[in-house]
Amino acid sequence: MANVRLRLAGMRRTIEAKADPHGGTVSFGGQTHRIDELEWDAPIGGAMYGVALNDEKEWAALSKEMNAPPYEKPPEGPVLYMKPANTINAHRRPVLLPRWVKHLQAAPALGLVIGRTAARVRREQALDFVFGYTIVNDLSILHEQRHRPAVKEQARDGFAPVGPWIVPKEEASPLSSLTARVYVNGRLVQRADPSRFRLPVEQWLAEVTEFMTLYPGDVLFFSWPADAPLVTAGDVVRIEIERIGVLENEIALEQGGDE
């Protein structure tokens, strides 16, 4: 059992609970519930920022492109993208696939939930500003352009399932051992861990907060997109990160509407 912070549908704030992901139960208020019988809400309330080009495999695959015009060299600092409020989704809630799209990329991501205001933090103190960890499904429509923000492809409604809860960092395993596994319809399709990150998350926290303050409840997340699976309507995506939990969502076809 792990101590977690969670929020269910209709709750204004997160609550403390004890979770047993392997047993499929969560306990709070003196009662134990089956995880799959509850209606969940995202356990975060701040801004969400993804660190792009942090996956070594993705960096290697894009090396030639990054050295071509108009940039002609790789980025020297952190490249961030946002998952705005409209993208926030929750455990076991559907993700809508636009009718004009065949597939989505479902990249697992480790989310660091900020616990206190972080500005110009030093690398060796960076984790002192982190409250805990959560899981993010960093969904996007496939796109090749790299020279403008991919807002239309990454920031659609519901494209950032988060949860199911936050595990305080004291309850979690060391960051280096937080292996992510992705299952699609019950089949293991991806396995990744922080050894693939170009820089440690502590370094990214230091670099990001050098120019941008992060506030309690904000999430800085790190994905593994290079070999992330492609999913389509009817698929069930399950992301597991050891000692953090399980985030599951079904891809459902959007009803009506055009591009």
Side-chain angles (χ1 to χ4, degrees):
M1 299 286 282
N3 293 313
V4 302
R5 299 284 302 188
L6 61 80
R7 184 166 61 180
L8 301 178
M11 289 182 175
R12 297 183 61 184
R13 298 180 178 86
T14 60
I15 62 171
E16 294 183 359
K18 289 187 177 294
D20 180 5
H22 296 291
T25 62
V26 62
S27 301
F28 55 89
Q31 294 184 320
T32 299
H33 308 266
R34 296 290 306 173
I35 292 173
D36 57 7
E37 293 175 350
L38 297 172
E39 186 176 355
W40 294 82
D41 204 346
I44 58 117
M48 292 187 63
Y49 304 97
V51 178
L53 301 175
N54 182 49
D55 183 352
E56 287 276 16
K57 288 188 176 182
E58 182 186 35
W59 181 272
L62 296 175
S63 178
K64 182 178 179 180
E65 183 176 336
M66 288 188 292
N67 285 283
Y71 300 117
E72 299 183 341
K73 66 176 182 178
E76 296 177 355
V79 178
L80 302 180
Y81 58 100
M82 284 195 69
K83 289 286 190 174
N86 67 293
T87 67
I88 307 298
N89 209 338
H91 177 56
R92 296 181 61 82
R93 288 191 180 180
V95 174
L96 298 183
L97 177 75
R99 298 186 66 84
W100 51 275
V101 175
K102 291 184 178 180
H103 298 95
L104 300 180
Q105 183 184 58
L110 173 64
L112 274 62
V113 183
I114 302 301
R116 59 192 179 100
T117 302
R120 298 176 179 83
V121 305
R122 293 190 296 178
R123 171 176 168 169
E124 57 270 24
Q125 297 175 328
L127 293 184
D128 294 343
F129 294 82
V130 173
F131 170 73
Y133 310 127
T134 192
I135 303 172
V136 180
N137 187 348
D138 186 13
L139 290 154
S140 62
I141 297 170
L142 293 176
H143 56 281
E144 295 183 358
Q145 58 79 21
R146 305 286 174 182
H147 306 313
R148 61 175 175 81
V151 176
K152 183 178 179 181
E153 292 82 8
Q154 293 179 313
R156 302 186 75 89
D157 293 350
F159 267 32
V162 184
W165 44 62
I166 303 168
V167 176
K169 65 176 183 289
E170 295 81 9
E171 297 276 331
S173 299
L175 280 171
S176 60
S177 65
L178 296 181
T179 300
R181 292 179 175 84
V182 183
Y183 298 82
V184 177
N185 302 326
R187 182 172 66 90
L188 178 64
V189 295
Q190 185 186 11
R191 182 184 183 280
D193 62 65
S195 67
R196 272 176 50 178
F197 291 166
R198 287 198 308 113
L199 293 175
V201 299
E202 297 93 330
Q203 181 65 36
W204 285 127
L205 274 166
E207 294 196 15
V208 169
T209 61
E210 177 63 29
F211 62 87
M212 183 174 74
T213 299
L214 297 176
Y215 295 98
D218 288 349
V219 179
L220 190 66
F221 65 90
F222 306 84
S223 65
W224 294 272
D227 51 354
L230 299 181
V231 296
T232 192
D235 287 342
V236 175
V237 184
R238 178 183 176 94
I239 300 175
E240 299 181 1
I241 298 184
E242 294 173 8
R243 297 293 300 273
I244 303 300
V246 176
L247 176 66
E248 183 176 286
N249 300 88
E250 181 177 358
I251 310 301
L253 186 63
E254 188 177 57
Q255 298 301 309
D258 298 312
E259 179 179 357

